[in-house]
Amino acid sequence: MENSIKHTYHISGMSCGGCVTAVKNKLSTVNGVTSVQVDLAKKEAEITSTEKIKADALQDALKNTHYTISEHSAA
């Protein structure tokens, strides 16, 4: 996809496949998000979007759940 941005975030609170589905569905509702891939083993979500999305907007999508999202620190 042209002009797409991929970013990987750490997700805490996931413990099963149902968690993966819930996180994916919630994050997919954020404006600008075009795809979400969630990895339970790594506790990560790779989000592809058409624009830079603030972590606050992503956390808002997870509001009223026990999941939290945070940006990976730069290595």
Side-chain angles (χ1 to χ4, degrees):
M1 185 180 297
E2 208 172 306
N3 296 326
S4 63
I5 300 168
K6 280 189 182 181
H7 199 83
T8 303
Y9 296 88
H10 176 75
I11 307 288
S12 55
M14 295 190 305
S15 61
C16 66
C19 296
V20 169
T21 301
V23 168
K24 185 175 180 175
N25 290 342
K26 294 274 188 185
L27 293 176
S28 294
T29 66
V30 176
N31 243 3
V33 170
T34 55
S35 83
V36 179
Q37 299 297 318
V38 179
D39 186 321
L40 178 61
K42 292 182 180 179
K43 303 218 182 293
E44 291 179 345
E46 182 182 84
I47 298 174
T48 305
S49 61
T50 56
E51 60 193 55
K52 175 82 171 123
I53 298 174
K54 293 183 179 181
D56 291 350
L58 298 171
Q59 185 59 57
D60 282 349
L62 297 176
K63 192 168 39 177
N64 300 322
T65 71
H66 61 277
Y67 310 115
T68 57
I69 189 167
S70 58
E71 293 193 52
H72 279 290
S73 53

Coordinates of all heavy atoms in Angstrom, one line a residue:
M1 N 0.9 -1.2 0.0 CA 0.0 0.0 0.0 C 0.9 1.2 0.0 O 1.8 1.3 0.8 CB -0.9 0.0 1.2 CG -1.9 1.1 1.2 SD -3.0 1.1 2.7 CE -3.8 -0.5 2.5
E2 N 0.6 2.2 -0.9 CA 1.4 3.4 -1.0 C 1.1 4.3 0.2 O 0.0 4.4 0.7 CB 1.0 4.1 -2.3 CG 2.1 4.9 -2.9 CD 1.7 5.5 -4.2 OE1 1.4 4.6 -5.1 OE2 1.8 6.7 -4.4
N3 N 2.2 5.0 0.7 CA 2.1 5.9 1.8 C 1.5 5.3 3.1 O 0.9 6.0 3.8 CB 1.2 7.1 1.4 CG 1.9 7.9 0.3 OD1 3.1 8.0 0.2 ND2 1.1 8.5 -0.6
S4 N 1.8 4.0 3.3 CA 1.4 3.5 4.6 C 2.5 3.5 5.6 O 3.7 3.5 5.2 CB 0.9 2.0 4.4 OG 1.9 1.2 3.9
I5 N 2.1 3.6 6.8 CA 3.1 3.6 7.9 C 2.9 2.4 8.8 O 1.7 2.1 9.2 CB 2.8 4.9 8.8 CG1 3.0 6.2 7.9 CG2 3.8 4.9 10.0 CD1 2.5 7.4 8.6
K6 N 4.0 1.7 9.1 CA 3.9 0.5 10.0 C 4.6 0.9 11.3 O 5.7 1.4 11.3 CB 4.5 -0.7 9.3 CG 3.7 -1.4 8.4 CD 4.3 -2.7 7.9 CE 3.5 -3.4 6.9 NZ 4.0 -4.7 6.5
H7 N 3.9 0.5 12.4 CA 4.6 0.7 13.7 C 4.2 -0.4 14.6 O 3.1 -0.9 14.5 CB 4.1 2.1 14.3 CG 5.0 2.6 15.3 ND1 6.1 3.3 15.1 CD2 4.9 2.5 16.7 CE1 6.7 3.6 16.2 NE2 6.0 3.1 17.2
T8 N 5.1 -0.9 15.4 CA 4.9 -2.0 16.3 C 4.8 -1.4 17.7 O 5.6 -0.6 18.2 CB 6.0 -3.0 16.2 OG1 6.2 -3.4 14.9 CG2 5.8 -4.2 17.1
Y9 N 3.8 -1.9 18.4 CA 3.5 -1.5 19.8 C 3.5 -2.7 20.7 O 3.2 -3.8 20.3 CB 2.1 -0.8 19.9 CG 2.0 0.4 19.1 CD1 1.7 0.4 17.8 CD2 2.3 1.7 19.7 CE1 1.5 1.6 17.1 CE2 2.2 2.9 19.0 CZ 1.8 2.8 17.7 OH 1.7 4.0 16.9
H10 N 3.8 -2.5 22.0 CA 3.8 -3.5 23.0 C 2.3 -3.5 23.6 O 1.8 -2.5 23.9 CB 4.8 -3.3 24.1 CG 4.7 -4.3 25.2 ND1 5.2 -5.6 25.1 CD2 4.1 -4.2 26.5 CE1 4.9 -6.2 26.2 NE2 4.3 -5.4 27.1
I11 N 1.7 -4.7 23.7 CA 0.4 -4.8 24.3 C 0.5 -5.6 25.6 O 1.0 -6.8 25.6 CB -0.6 -5.5 23.4 CG1 -0.6 -4.9 22.0 CG2 -2.0 -5.6 24.0 CD1 -1.3 -3.6 21.9
S12 N 0.1 -5.1 26.7 CA 0.1 -5.9 27.9 C -1.4 -6.3 28.3 O -2.3 -5.6 27.9 CB 0.8 -5.2 29.1 OG 0.2 -3.9 29.3
G13 N -1.5 -7.4 29.0 CA -2.8 -7.9 29.4 C -3.4 -9.0 28.6 O -4.4 -9.5 28.9
M14 N -2.7 -9.4 27.5 CA -3.2 -10.5 26.6 C -2.7 -11.8 27.2 O -1.6 -12.0 27.6 CB -2.7 -10.3 25.2 CG -3.2 -9.1 24.5 SD -2.8 -9.2 22.7 CE -1.0 -9.4 22.7
S15 N -3.7 -12.8 27.2 CA -3.3 -14.1 27.6 C -3.8 -15.3 26.8 O -3.5 -16.4 27.0 CB -3.7 -14.3 29.1 OG -5.2 -14.2 29.1
C16 N -4.6 -15.0 25.8 CA -5.2 -16.1 25.0 C -5.6 -15.5 23.6 O -5.5 -14.3 23.3 CB -6.5 -16.6 25.7 SG -7.8 -15.4 25.8
G17 N -6.1 -16.4 22.7 CA -6.5 -16.1 21.4 C -7.7 -15.1 21.4 O -7.8 -14.3 20.5
G18 N -8.6 -15.2 22.4 CA -9.7 -14.3 22.5 C -9.2 -12.9 22.7 O -9.8 -11.9 22.2
C19 N -8.1 -12.7 23.5 CA -7.5 -11.4 23.8 C -7.0 -10.8 22.5 O -7.2 -9.7 22.2 CB -6.4 -11.6 24.8 SG -6.8 -12.1 26.4
V20 N -6.3 -11.7 21.7 CA -5.8 -11.2 20.4 C -6.9 -10.7 19.5 O -6.8 -9.6 18.9 CB -5.1 -12.4 19.7 CG1 -4.7 -12.0 18.2 CG2 -3.8 -12.8 20.4
T21 N -8.0 -11.4 19.4 CA -9.2 -11.0 18.6 C -9.7 -9.7 19.1 O -10.0 -8.7 18.4 CB -10.3 -12.1 18.6 OG1 -9.7 -13.3 18.0 CG2 -11.4 -11.6 17.8
A22 N -9.9 -9.6 20.4 CA -10.5 -8.3 21.0 C -9.6 -7.1 20.8 O -10.1 -6.1 20.4 CB -10.6 -8.5 22.6
V23 N -8.3 -7.3 21.0 CA -7.3 -6.2 20.7 C -7.3 -5.8 19.3 O -7.4 -4.6 18.9 CB -5.9 -6.6 21.2 CG1 -4.9 -5.6 20.7 CG2 -5.8 -6.7 22.7
K24 N -7.3 -6.8 18.4 CA -7.3 -6.5 16.9 C -8.6 -5.7 16.5 O -8.5 -4.8 15.8 CB -7.2 -7.8 16.2 CG -7.1 -7.6 14.7 CD -6.8 -8.9 14.0 CE -6.7 -8.7 12.5 NZ -6.4 -9.9 11.7
N25 N -9.7 -6.2 17.0 CA -11.0 -5.6 16.7 C -11.1 -4.1 17.2 O -11.5 -3.2 16.5 CB -12.2 -6.4 17.2 CG -12.4 -7.7 16.5 OD1 -11.9 -7.8 15.3 ND2 -13.1 -8.6 17.1
K26 N -10.6 -3.9 18.4 CA -10.6 -2.6 19.0 C -9.7 -1.6 18.3 O -10.1 -0.5 18.0 CB -10.2 -2.6 20.5 CG -11.2 -3.3 21.4 CD -12.3 -2.4 21.9 CE -13.2 -3.1 22.9 NZ -14.3 -2.3 23.3
L27 N -8.5 -2.1 18.0 CA -7.5 -1.2 17.4 C -7.9 -0.9 15.9 O -7.6 0.2 15.4 CB -6.1 -1.8 17.4 CG -5.5 -1.9 18.8 CD1 -4.2 -2.6 18.8 CD2 -5.4 -0.5 19.5
S28 N -8.6 -1.8 15.3 CA -9.0 -1.6 13.9 C -10.0 -0.5 13.7 O -10.2 0.0 12.6 CB -9.6 -2.9 13.3 OG -8.6 -3.9 13.3
T29 N -10.7 -0.1 14.8 CA -11.7 1.0 14.8 C -11.0 2.4 14.8 O -11.8 3.4 14.5 CB -12.7 0.9 16.0 OG1 -12.0 1.2 17.2 CG2 -13.3 -0.4 16.0
V30 N -9.7 2.5 15.0 CA -9.1 3.8 15.1 C -9.0 4.4 13.7 O -8.6 3.7 12.7 CB -7.7 3.7 15.7 CG1 -7.0 5.1 15.7 CG2 -7.8 3.2 17.2
N31 N -9.4 5.7 13.6 CA -9.3 6.4 12.3 C -7.9 6.3 11.7 O -6.9 6.6 12.4 CB -9.7 7.9 12.5 CG -10.9 8.2 11.7 OD1 -11.5 7.4 11.1 ND2 -11.3 9.5 11.8
G32 N -7.8 5.9 10.4 CA -6.5 5.9 9.7 C -5.9 4.5 9.7 O -5.0 4.3 9.0
V33 N -6.3 3.6 10.7 CA -5.7 2.3 10.7 C -6.2 1.5 9.6 O -7.5 1.4 9.3 CB -6.0 1.6 12.1 CG1 -5.7 0.1 12.0 CG2 -5.4 2.3 13.2
T34 N -5.3 0.9 8.8 CA -5.7 0.0 7.7 C -5.6 -1.5 7.9 O -6.3 -2.3 7.3 CB -4.9 0.4 6.4 OG1 -3.5 0.3 6.7 CG2 -5.3 1.8 5.9
S35 N -4.7 -1.8 8.9 CA -4.6 -3.2 9.3 C -3.9 -3.4 10.6 O -3.1 -2.5 11.0 CB -3.8 -4.1 8.2 OG -2.5 -4.0 8.4
V36 N -4.2 -4.5 11.3 CA -3.7 -4.7 12.6 C -3.3 -6.2 12.7 O -4.1 -7.1 12.4 CB -4.7 -4.4 13.8 CG1 -4.1 -4.8 15.1 CG2 -5.1 -3.0 13.7
Q37 N -2.1 -6.5 13.0 CA -1.6 -7.9 13.2 C -1.2 -8.0 14.7 O -0.3 -7.2 15.1 CB -0.4 -8.2 12.3 CG -0.7 -8.1 10.8 CD -1.8 -9.1 10.4 OE1 -1.8 -10.2 10.8 NE2 -2.7 -8.6 9.6
V38 N -1.7 -8.9 15.4 CA -1.4 -9.1 16.8 C -0.7 -10.4 17.0 O -1.1 -11.4 16.5 CB -2.7 -9.0 17.7 CG1 -2.4 -9.2 19.1 CG2 -3.4 -7.7 17.4
D39 N 0.4 -10.4 17.8 CA 1.2 -11.6 18.1 C 1.2 -11.8 19.6 O 1.7 -11.0 20.4 CB 2.7 -11.3 17.6 CG 3.5 -12.6 17.8 OD1 3.4 -13.3 18.8 OD2 4.4 -12.8 16.9
L40 N 0.4 -12.8 20.0 CA 0.3 -13.1 21.4 C 1.6 -13.5 22.1 O 1.9 -13.0 23.2 CB -0.7 -14.3 21.6 CG -1.0 -14.8 23.0 CD1 -1.5 -13.6 23.9 CD2 -1.9 -15.9 23.0
A41 N 2.4 -14.3 21.4 CA 3.7 -14.7 22.0 C 4.6 -13.5 22.3 O 5.3 -13.5 23.3 CB 4.4 -15.7 21.1
K42 N 4.7 -12.6 21.3 CA 5.5 -11.4 21.5 C 4.9 -10.3 22.3 O 5.5 -9.3 22.6 CB 6.0 -10.9 20.1 CG 6.9 -11.8 19.4 CD 7.3 -11.2 18.1 CE 8.2 -12.0 17.3 NZ 8.6 -11.4 16.0
K43 N 3.5 -10.4 22.4 CA 2.7 -9.4 23.1 C 2.9 -8.1 22.3 O 3.2 -7.0 22.9 CB 3.1 -9.3 24.6 CG 2.9 -10.6 25.3 CD 2.3 -10.3 26.7 CE 2.2 -11.6 27.5 NZ 1.2 -12.5 27.0
E44 N 2.8 -8.2 21.0 CA 2.9 -7.0 20.1 C 1.8 -6.9 19.2 O 1.1 -7.9 18.8 CB 4.2 -7.1 19.3 CG 5.5 -7.1 20.1 CD 6.7 -7.2 19.2 OE1 6.6 -7.7 18.0 OE2 7.8 -6.9 19.7
A45 N 1.6 -5.6 18.7 CA 0.6 -5.4 17.7 C 1.4 -4.5 16.6 O 2.0 -3.5 16.9 CB -0.6 -4.6 18.2
E46 N 1.3 -5.0 15.4 CA 1.9 -4.2 14.3 C 0.7 -3.5 13.6 O -0.2 -4.2 13.1 CB 2.6 -5.1 13.3 CG 3.2 -4.3 12.1 CD 3.9 -5.1 11.1 OE1 3.2 -5.7 10.2 OE2 5.1 -5.3 11.2
I47 N 0.7 -2.2 13.6 CA -0.4 -1.4 13.1 C 0.1 -0.7 11.8 O 1.1 -0.1 11.8 CB -0.9 -0.4 14.1 CG1 -1.4 -1.2 15.3 CG2 -1.9 0.5 13.5 CD1 -1.8 -0.3 16.5
T48 N -0.7 -0.9 10.7 CA -0.4 -0.2 9.5 C -1.5 0.9 9.4 O -2.7 0.6 9.6 CB -0.5 -1.2 8.3 OG1 0.4 -2.2 8.5 CG2 -0.2 -0.5 7.0
S49 N -1.1 2.1 9.0 CA -2.0 3.2 8.9 C -1.7 4.1 7.8 O -0.6 4.0 7.2 CB -2.0 4.0 10.3 OG -0.7 4.5 10.5
T50 N -2.6 5.0 7.5 CA -2.4 5.9 6.4 C -1.7 7.2 6.9 O -1.3 8.1 6.1 CB -3.7 6.3 5.7 OG1 -4.6 6.8 6.7 CG2 -4.3 5.1 5.0
E51 N -1.7 7.4 8.2 CA -1.1 8.5 8.9 C -0.5 8.1 10.2 O -0.8 7.1 10.7 CB -2.2 9.6 9.1 CG -3.3 9.1 9.9 CD -4.5 10.0 9.9 OE1 -5.0 10.2 8.8 OE2 -5.0 10.4 11.0
K52 N 0.3 9.0 10.8 CA 0.9 8.8 12.1 C -0.2 8.8 13.1 O -1.0 9.8 13.2 CB 2.0 9.9 12.4 CG 2.5 9.8 13.8 CD 3.6 8.8 13.9 CE 4.3 8.9 15.3 NZ 4.3 7.7 16.0
I53 N -0.3 7.8 14.0 CA -1.4 7.7 15.0 C -0.7 7.8 16.3 O 0.2 7.1 16.6 CB -2.2 6.4 14.8 CG1 -2.9 6.5 13.4 CG2 -3.2 6.3 15.9 CD1 -3.6 5.2 13.1
K54 N -1.3 8.7 17.2 CA -0.7 8.8 18.5 C -1.1 7.6 19.4 O -2.2 7.1 19.2 CB -1.3 10.1 19.2 CG -0.8 11.3 18.5 CD -1.3 12.6 19.2 CE -0.7 13.8 18.5 NZ -1.1 15.0 19.2
A55 N -0.2 7.2 20.3 CA -0.5 6.1 21.2 C -1.7 6.4 22.0 O -2.4 5.4 22.4 CB 0.7 5.8 22.0
D56 N -2.0 7.6 22.3 CA -3.2 8.0 23.1 C -4.5 7.6 22.4 O -5.4 7.1 23.0 CB -3.2 9.5 23.4 CG -2.1 10.0 24.3 OD1 -1.5 9.2 24.9 OD2 -2.0 11.2 24.4
A57 N -4.5 7.7 21.1 CA -5.7 7.4 20.3 C -5.9 5.8 20.4 O -7.0 5.3 20.4 CB -5.6 7.9 18.9
L58 N -4.8 5.1 20.3 CA -4.8 3.7 20.3 C -5.2 3.2 21.7 O -6.0 2.3 21.8 CB -3.5 3.1 19.9 CG -3.0 3.4 18.5 CD1 -1.6 3.0 18.3 CD2 -3.9 2.8 17.5
Q59 N -4.7 3.9 22.8 CA -5.1 3.5 24.1 C -6.6 3.8 24.4 O -7.3 3.0 25.0 CB -4.3 4.2 25.2 CG -4.5 3.7 26.6 CD -4.3 2.2 26.8 OE1 -3.2 1.7 26.6 NE2 -5.3 1.5 27.2
D60 N -7.1 4.9 23.8 CA -8.5 5.2 23.9 C -9.4 4.1 23.3 O -10.4 3.8 23.8 CB -8.8 6.5 23.2 CG -8.4 7.7 24.0 OD1 -8.1 7.6 25.2 OD2 -8.5 8.8 23.5
A61 N -8.9 3.5 22.2 CA -9.6 2.4 21.6 C -9.7 1.2 22.5 O -10.6 0.4 22.4 CB -9.0 2.0 20.3
L62 N -8.7 1.0 23.4 CA -8.7 -0.1 24.4 C -9.3 0.3 25.7 O -9.3 -0.5 26.6 CB -7.3 -0.6 24.6 CG -6.6 -1.1 23.3 CD1 -5.1 -1.4 23.6 CD2 -7.3 -2.3 22.8
K63 N -10.0 1.5 25.7 CA -10.6 1.9 27.0 C -11.7 0.9 27.4 O -12.3 0.3 26.6 CB -11.3 3.3 26.7 CG -11.7 4.0 28.0 CD -12.1 5.4 27.8 CE -12.8 5.7 26.5 NZ -13.2 7.1 26.3
N64 N -11.8 0.8 28.7 CA -12.8 -0.2 29.3 C -12.4 -1.7 29.1 O -13.2 -2.5 29.1 CB -14.2 0.1 28.8 CG -14.7 1.5 29.2 OD1 -14.4 2.0 30.3 ND2 -15.4 2.1 28.3
T65 N -11.1 -1.9 28.8 CA -10.6 -3.2 28.7 C -9.4 -3.3 29.7 O -9.0 -2.2 30.2 CB -10.1 -3.6 27.3 OG1 -8.9 -2.9 27.0 CG2 -11.1 -3.4 26.2
H66 N -8.8 -4.4 29.9 CA -7.6 -4.5 30.8 C -6.4 -4.5 30.0 O -5.3 -4.7 30.5 CB -7.7 -5.7 31.7 CG -7.7 -7.0 30.9 ND1 -8.9 -7.6 30.4 CD2 -6.7 -7.9 30.6 CE1 -8.6 -8.7 29.8 NE2 -7.3 -8.9 29.9
Y67 N -6.4 -4.2 28.7 CA -5.3 -4.1 27.8 C -4.7 -2.7 27.8 O -5.4 -1.8 27.8 CB -5.6 -4.5 26.4 CG -6.4 -5.8 26.2 CD1 -7.7 -5.8 25.8 CD2 -5.9 -7.0 26.7 CE1 -8.5 -6.9 25.7 CE2 -6.7 -8.2 26.6 CZ -7.9 -8.1 26.1 OH -8.7 -9.3 26.0
T68 N -3.3 -2.7 27.7 CA -2.7 -1.4 27.6 C -1.7 -1.5 26.4 O -1.1 -2.6 26.1 CB -1.9 -1.0 28.9 OG1 -1.0 -2.0 29.2 CG2 -2.9 -0.7 30.0
I69 N -1.5 -0.4 25.8 CA -0.6 -0.3 24.6 C 0.5 0.7 24.9 O 0.2 1.7 25.5 CB -1.4 0.0 23.3 CG1 -0.6 -0.1 22.1 CG2 -2.1 1.4 23.4 CD1 -1.3 -0.1 20.8
S70 N 1.7 0.4 24.5 CA 2.8 1.4 24.6 C 3.7 1.2 23.5 O 3.8 0.1 22.9 CB 3.5 1.2 25.9 OG 4.0 -0.2 26.0
E71 N 4.4 2.3 23.1 CA 5.4 2.3 22.0 C 6.6 1.6 22.5 O 7.0 1.6 23.7 CB 5.7 3.7 21.6 CG 4.5 4.4 21.0 CD 4.9 5.7 20.3 OE1 5.9 5.6 19.4 OE2 4.3 6.7 20.5
H72 N 7.2 0.8 21.6 CA 8.5 0.2 21.9 C 9.5 1.3 22.0 O 9.5 2.2 21.2 CB 8.9 -0.8 20.8 CG 8.3 -2.1 20.9 ND1 8.5 -3.0 21.8 CD2 7.3 -2.7 20.1 CE1 7.8 -4.1 21.7 NE2 7.0 -3.9 20.6
S73 N 10.4 1.1 23.0 CA 11.5 2.1 23.1 C 12.5 1.9 22.0 O 12.7 0.7 21.6 CB 12.2 2.0 24.5 OG 12.6 0.7 24.7
A74 N 13.1 2.9 21.5 CA 14.1 2.8 20.4 C 15.3 2.1 20.9 O 15.8 2.3 22.0 CB 14.4 4.2 19.9
A75 N 15.8 1.2 20.1 CA 17.0 0.4 20.5 C 18.2 1.1 20.0 O 18.3 1.9 19.1 CB 16.9 -0.9 19.8

